[in-house]
Amino acid sequence: MPHSAKFAALQKRLSYNFKNIALLSEALTHASYLQDHPQAGAHNQRLEFLGDSVLHLVLSEALFHEFPLEREGVLSRRRAGLTKGEFLCQLAHDLRVDAALHLGQSEEDAGGRLRASILEDAFEAIVGAIYLDSDYQTARQVILAWYGSLGARLALSESGENPKGQLQELVQPEHGNNALRYDVVNATGPKHAREYEVSVSLNEQLLGVGRGPSKKSAEEEAARVALLALKPSK
């Protein structure tokens, strides 16, 4: 798919249209891409630096108003939960940022499009790009729309510190201790930077698939997906 079509599809998913499309292109450009295309311009590390600060400010303000009785320590812990790498990686997956990344061929071959750190950096860079392309209030509105209800996000994050245990507790009363099975579906990248894809099934019924830099983290992500599928919406 041409870059223009990828950008159009991503902007639709982001619910934001760039006035300066070069900012979006820079936000999606990994440093490895410049090794193959030195004329391409800048990679996304500077925008990532800016986006990290914007993201923290937006979430700090939102948490400050949403939880007026909480102390600094609680607010800081909740903000950390909403900005940790695996959380941002999941948001990037939800927005399909991976489909529009600019990667060098070596990084592409190594499975970089699924690498958590690359997706996290690109997500923060997109935040920085939107801020520069518009203003703080617009960036704030767009970011909070991606997150949705912060209370619901936090409930999932805080209850999901042991997602495999939570899933086991959920299914055990009806299905017993041995009904869940985790399988490695795929593993990409070199040994020092593996990206695993793991599925979790309940009595042979697929419940969820997760990705991560280790089997453990991929299993945990799969369990989080399964919890969302199994728990009734309120």
Side-chain angles (χ1 to χ4, degrees), residues 19 25 42 46-47 50 58-59 72 93 114-115 118 133 139 143 161-162 165 169-170 172 194 214 223 227 234:
K19 296 184 286 291
S25 180
R46 282 172 53 84
L47 283 175
L50 177 62
V58 167
L59 292 173
E72 176 191 1
H93 274 302
L114 299 177
R115 200 181 308 285
I118 290 178
D133 193 63
I143 291 166
E161 288 304 317
N162 181 18
E169 289 178 9
L170 185 63
Q172 183 176 340
R194 283 286 194 191
S214 67
L227 283 169
K234 296 180 179 180

Side-chain angles (χ1 to χ4, degrees), residues 9 43 45 183-184 223 228:
H43 54 69
Q45 288 180 355
D183 295 305
V184 176
L228 285 173

Side-chain angles (χ1 to χ4, degrees), residues 145-230:
W146 296 341
Y147 273 82
S149 168
L150 293 185
R153 289 282 190 182
L154 286 166
L156 180 60
S157 175
E158 291 169 357
S159 68
E161 288 304 317
N162 181 18
K164 291 180 66 177
Q166 294 284 329
L167 182 60
Q168 182 67 29
E169 289 178 9
L170 185 63
V171 305
Q172 183 176 340
E174 183 176 352
H175 300 281
N177 293 324
N178 302 312
L180 291 173
R181 191 183 80 240
Y182 293 87
D183 295 305
V184 176
V185 177
N186 195 17
T188 58
K191 288 184 178 180
H192 68 277
R194 283 286 194 191
E195 190 80 18
Y196 292 90
E197 183 175 357
V198 171
S199 67
V200 59
S201 301
L202 173 63
N203 293 328
E204 307 307 320
Q205 177 185 354
L206 179 65
L207 295 181
V209 176
R211 297 185 182 94
S214 67
K215 292 179 183 178
K216 180 176 182 293
S217 63
E219 288 176 353
E220 290 174 345
E221 185 57 38
R224 289 189 187 94
V225 174
L227 283 169
L228 285 173
L230 290 178

Side-chain angles (χ1 to χ4, degrees), residues 63-85:
L63 290 169
F64 180 85
H65 290 299
E66 185 152 343
F67 301 100
L69 301 181
E70 295 291 9
R71 294 187 174 186
E72 176 191 1
V74 174
L75 295 175
S76 295
R77 187 175 70 248
R78 289 180 171 177
R79 183 184 62 193
L82 294 171
T83 57
K84 61 185 178 182

Side-chain angles (χ1 to χ4, degrees), residues 10 26 28 62 68 73 84 89 97 117 128 195 225 228:
L10 178 59
E26 181 178 336
L28 296 167
K84 61 185 178 182
C89 180
V97 170
S117 60
E195 190 80 18
V225 174
L228 285 173

Side-chain angles (χ1 to χ4, degrees), residues 17-137:
N17 290 313
F18 278 82
K19 296 184 286 291
N20 181 3
I21 201 67
L23 284 169
L24 178 59
S25 180
E26 181 178 336
L28 296 167
T29 300
H30 185 256
S32 65
Y33 186 77
L34 300 185
Q35 297 172 6
D36 299 338
H37 306 85
Q39 76 288 353
H43 54 69
N44 64 8
Q45 288 180 355
R46 282 172 53 84
L47 283 175
E48 174 206 341
F49 164 77
L50 177 62
D52 176 70
S53 297
V54 173
L55 187 62
H56 275 72
L57 177 56
V58 167
L59 292 173
S60 295
E61 180 192 10
L63 290 169
F64 180 85
H65 290 299
E66 185 152 343
F67 301 100
L69 301 181
E70 295 291 9
R71 294 187 174 186
E72 176 191 1
V74 174
L75 295 175
S76 295
R77 187 175 70 248
R78 289 180 171 177
R79 183 184 62 193
L82 294 171
T83 57
K84 61 185 178 182
E86 64 187 63
F87 197 95
L88 300 186
C89 180
Q90 184 57 56
L91 287 174
H93 274 302
D94 293 345
L95 294 167
R96 289 297 319 281
V97 170
D98 57 295
L101 288 172
H102 295 160
L103 301 176
Q105 192 59 53
S106 61
E107 189 63 55
E108 186 80 66
D109 294 342
R113 202 165 290 275
L114 299 177
R115 200 181 308 285
S117 60
I118 290 178
L119 289 172
E120 176 191 350
D121 291 350
F123 179 86
E124 292 178 331
I126 289 171
V127 170
I130 291 174
Y131 170 75
L132 289 180
D133 193 63
S134 55
D135 52 43
Y136 172 74
Q137 291 301 331

